[in-house]
Amino acid sequence: MTDATNRKPIRKAVFPVAGLGTRFLPATKAIPKEMLPIIDRPLIQYAVDEAREAGIEQLIFVTGRGKVSIVEHFDTAFELEATMSGRGKQLDVLDATRIQPGNLVTVRQQVPLGLGHAIWCARAIVGDEPFAIFLPDELMIGVPGCMKQMVEAYNRVGGNVISVLEVPREDVSSYGVIQPGAQVAHGLTEVLGLVEKPRLEDAPSNLIISGRYILQPEVMRTLEGQGKGAGGEIQLTDAMARMIGHQPFHAVTFAGRRYDCGSKSGFVEATLELALAREDMAADMTALIKRLAATLD
Ligand code: G1P
C-alpha cells in the first residue's frame, strides 16, 4: 500500500449534498444550501473547481429531494446559451459549469442517516479505487487548492489522507478530531486516532477534520452495517477510525484559508474576503469596509 507503484490515481470524488440546510432557512426552503452563492459562484462550484484542479474526473453527487438545481447547474442551458450568443455575449462565464458527458453521476440518499451513510450510498459508483470526498460547506481557498495539496501528500505516502486544521480548543466538540502521531514532513502528520464530536475533556487535540478526504475503498466495507455514533448518526469518522492500524493514515495541515460556510458568520466572512481579493471588486469593497469600520468603536 505505501509502495508508490501501488498508488492508484484519485479520479473520483463524492460530494454529499443531501443535507436539508436548516441553518439557512428560510433561504434554503426551495433552493439547496450548496447553491447559495459566495459573490457569483454557488458553493458547490468552488468544491468542484477544487476537485478538477486536483485532477479529479468523475463527480458523484449524493443528493436527495429538492436538489435538482445542483445537477442543472452543471448541465448545458441551451436557451440561455442560444440567447446570449444571439446577443453577442461571451459564454466563457459558464465554462466552469461544463462537465464532460458521463462524468457527473448522482445517487440518492433517501433518508438522512449521517455523513457515513451518505458516503456509503456512493459505493457502487466508487467501486474498487481510492476516492476523494468534499463537504461543500467547507470553502477552502489556497494556492494550490486543498485537494491538490492532499493529492501531493497521497502520492508520497499513499493510503488515506485527510485535511486538518487547528481551531480554538473550546470549538473541538463541533468536529471530528484527530490524535496526531509523528510528523512525516512539513504539514504532514501520521494519524493515530479519530473521534467525532468529542467532549472538550476527551478531545485528543485541537486539530479538526476540515471536510476533505482521500480514502481507500475499504471504507465502504467498514461502513457496511456500522451502528450509529455521535448525534445518533452513522459517522464517517467512526469508519475511518476503524481503518487506522490496517492502512496508512495521514493528515495534511491545509496551507490556505478555510471558511465554515455552514455558519452564517463564516458565510459572510467568505463573501467579504473573496470580494476583497477580486480585482473587479477590491476598490469598492475596501471603501465600503473602511466606511463601515469608521461607524464602529
Ligand atoms: C462533519 C464531519 C466532521 C468534520 C466536519 C467538518 O461534521 O463529521 O468530522 O469535522 O464535517 O465540517 P458535520 O459538520 O456534518 O456535523
Side-chain angles (χ1 to χ4, degrees), residues 115 135 138 175-176 196-197 209-211 213 235 237:
L115 177 60
L135 308 191
E138 299 276 355
Y175 299 101
E196 181 69 14
K197 306 207 168 72
I209 307 170
S210 59
Y213 313 73
Q235 295 290 356
T237 303

Side-chain angles (χ1 to χ4, degrees), residues 53-112:
E53 181 207 9
I56 283 157
E57 294 161 14
Q58 191 179 70
L59 314 175
I60 305 165
F61 291 160
V62 181
T63 71
R65 271 167 52 77
K67 298 284 183 163
V68 178
S69 59
I70 299 177
V71 181
E72 299 227 317
H73 178 75
F74 292 102
D75 199 355
T76 302
F78 178 77
E79 288 160 75
L80 177 68
E81 295 192 15
T83 308
M84 284 174 70
S85 301
R87 291 179 186 162
K89 293 216 161 96
Q90 295 292 323
L91 295 179
D92 52 354
V93 71
L94 297 172
D95 283 352
T97 67
R98 301 187 198 284
I99 306 282
Q100 188 151 37
N103 273 351
L104 191 155
V105 182
T106 65
V107 289
R108 286 253 175 172
Q109 184 192 26
Q110 291 88 347
V111 204

Side-chain angles (χ1 to χ4, degrees), residues 240-253:
M240 296 191 300
R242 285 162 60 204
M243 290 163 75
I244 294 172
H246 303 285
Q247 295 197 346
F249 224 108
H250 292 88
V252 168
T253 307

